[in-house]
Amino acid sequence: MNKLLIIEDDAALSAALARRLTKQGFECAQCDDASESLLMARQFNPSHILLDMKIADQNGLKLIKPLRLLLPKVKLVLLTGYASIATAVEAIRLGADNYLAKPVDTQTLMNALNAQIEDEDRAQTEFTEQPLSPKRLEWEHIQQVLVNNNGNISETARVLGMHRRTLQRKLLKKPVADNRCA
């Protein structure tokens, strides 16, 4: 039986994911604290991990490398409510196998948990061959600069050469959809 560790600080979402994935054949364990996640991973020894990108005040991206070192063969999927290409690239670079935006349906989740790496590489290549819209490129660039400045809005605005309030307004807007997703 596949074992799934859900590292998510939203107790309701974590419980809902556990119920959904138990019906799909996973034995699920839940952890709501970043500092306890490595201990829980060591004790439970999962074959799969669902990791939230934001766990309370901590960044789930910082857990990817230690989890990967502890469990090199685990299938690790990062979940986020704030999806961007910049964070997706960073997550994959750090060792995540997949990256999904919340909310996510069961079928998409199952596909990510059971996907073969070759299929993911092929899908990613097909996805990146199409050009991004200028508005989407702007959003991605802002997100990357924000990540590089550790989330510091004032420093990011200075680097981008824009007023802090202008940057805050741009960040409040949802990412611009691409025609590729249609």
Side-chain angles (χ1 to χ4, degrees), residues 37-50:
S37 62
L38 293 174
L39 177 62
M40 182 77 165
R42 187 175 297 116
Q43 291 173 345
F44 186 61
N45 194 26
S47 57
H48 297 74
I49 295 177
L50 278 180

Side-chain angles (χ1 to χ4, degrees), residues 43-91:
Q43 291 173 345
F44 186 61
N45 194 26
S47 57
H48 297 74
I49 295 177
L50 278 180
L51 173 63
D52 187 17
M53 191 159 102
K54 185 160 172 45
I55 306 165
D57 324 359
Q58 298 186 356
N59 188 336
L61 289 172
K62 293 181 180 177
L63 290 173
I64 295 174
K65 278 189 177 182
L67 286 168
R68 185 58 70 197
L69 287 172
L70 181 64
L71 302 162
K73 295 185 180 187
V74 74
K75 185 74 169 183
L76 196 148
V77 176
L78 189 77
L79 291 175
T80 181
Y82 306 96
S84 76
I85 291 177
T87 54
V89 168
E90 183 69 8

Side-chain angles (χ1 to χ4, degrees), residues 20-160:
R20 287 167 40 189
L21 294 167
T22 298
K23 291 178 184 175
Q24 299 296 322
F26 283 95
E27 176 186 342
C28 297
Q30 299 163 285
C31 181
D32 63 359
D33 184 63
S35 59
E36 293 177 12
S37 62
L38 293 174
L39 177 62
M40 182 77 165
R42 187 175 297 116
Q43 291 173 345
F44 186 61
N45 194 26
S47 57
H48 297 74
I49 295 177
L50 278 180
L51 173 63
D52 187 17
M53 191 159 102
K54 185 160 172 45
I55 306 165
D57 324 359
Q58 298 186 356
N59 188 336
L61 289 172
K62 293 181 180 177
L63 290 173
I64 295 174
K65 278 189 177 182
L67 286 168
R68 185 58 70 197
L69 287 172
L70 181 64
L71 302 162
K73 295 185 180 187
V74 74
K75 185 74 169 183
L76 196 148
V77 176
L78 189 77
L79 291 175
T80 181
Y82 306 96
S84 76
I85 291 177
T87 54
V89 168
E90 183 69 8
I92 302 302
R93 185 185 69 75
L94 291 169
D97 293 303
N98 213 321
Y99 177 94
L100 298 174
K102 295 177 191 174
V104 62
D105 62 88
T106 304
Q107 188 57 53
T108 302
L109 201 47
M110 288 303 296
N111 289 344
L113 290 169
N114 294 321
Q116 296 299 317
I117 291 175
E118 297 83 20
D119 293 338
E120 290 173 4
D121 288 346
R122 190 177 318 114
Q124 185 176 0
T125 302
E126 291 169 5
F127 182 76
T128 57
E129 287 176 357
Q130 299 174 350
L132 294 171
S133 70
K135 287 185 180 183
R136 182 65 187 208
L137 280 171
E138 177 189 43
W139 171 262
E140 297 305 329
H141 180 64
I142 289 171
Q143 292 298 314
Q144 184 60 52
V145 174
L146 189 61
V147 167
N148 292 343
N149 289 300
N150 298 317
N152 184 321
I153 300 289
S154 297
E155 183 63 18
T156 300
R158 189 189 64 71
V159 169
L160 292 171

